[in-house]
Amino acid sequence: MKTFRISAVLVALGLSAAGAMAGQIVDTDIYADDVDNRATGSNSVALQHVGTTFGDGRILDSEIRASNARNTASGNNSLAHQDIGVATSGGTLRRVYVDADNARNRATGNQSEATQEIGKVSNGLIQDTYIYADNANNLASGFQSRAEQKVGVVN
């Protein structure tokens, strides 16, 4: 009987810990104006995440500012990925202000890839949210390069 109780407690603790791992940003102001992230050389990867949650992510009653954010990967087969105000995997943006004006994401070199996501939710909900991405720019340049930009998207 003791073994069963200990196992039940461990399972319960494991389940509660797994539930607590879901990413949340609540009642928070994030100011990251003029941030700059760079990776150079073949196969370089530049990842920039500002106000981003992963795994059932929720962003509630918050402000995320990343005006003039810069993310650059240069070199053949490079990858530049920029997230600003993004909630993934069943995510929610509720009563959130996302300001990403003049955000720049660049991948240069043959077979490079640039992905820019601003105010985006995966498999979830955007509600009572303001997403500002004036002059946001996403660029992939070079032979067989690919660029994808998502602003205010639920997918």
Side-chain angles (χ1 to χ4, degrees):
M1 191 63 153
K2 247 184 190 175
T3 304
F4 175 75
R5 277 192 218 139
I6 291 171
S7 297
V9 169
L10 290 176
V11 168
L13 287 173
L15 290 175
S16 65
M21 289 183 352
Q24 294 189 51
I25 297 172
V26 180
D27 297 322
T28 301
D29 294 331
I30 298 169
Y31 295 97
D33 292 345
D34 300 310
V35 293
D36 189 37
N37 184 49
R38 297 175 194 212
T40 60
S42 295
N43 300 310
S44 64
V45 177
L47 303 174
Q48 185 179 64
H49 306 288
V50 180
T52 299
T53 63
F54 300 94
D56 293 324
R58 296 179 345 142
I59 304 174
L60 308 172
D61 303 307
S62 295
E63 183 174 319
I64 300 162
R65 290 182 182 263
S67 295
N68 301 307
R70 302 281 187 266
N71 189 51
T72 305
S74 60
N76 290 332
N77 199 38
S78 63
L79 170 69
H81 184 94
Q82 183 181 55
D83 289 335
I84 300 171
V86 172
T88 66
S89 305
T92 301
L93 290 179
R94 183 175 294 129
R95 294 178 300 279
V96 177
Y97 177 88
V98 178
D99 180 357
D101 66 314
N102 296 308
R104 299 279 186 264
N105 188 55
R106 304 238 188 293
T108 60
N110 293 334
Q111 298 177 327
S112 62
E113 183 174 334
T115 303
Q116 183 182 56
E117 300 178 339
I118 300 169
K120 182 202 154 229
V121 168
S122 299
N123 302 315
L125 171 73
I126 297 175
Q127 181 181 29
D128 300 325
T129 294
Y130 179 83
I131 300 165
Y132 182 71
D134 193 36
N135 294 315
N137 187 279
N138 187 52
L139 172 73
S141 64
F143 179 71
Q144 293 185 330
S145 292
R146 179 180 179 275
E148 181 178 21
Q149 183 180 54
K150 296 179 182 179
V151 178
V153 173
V154 176
N155 68 337

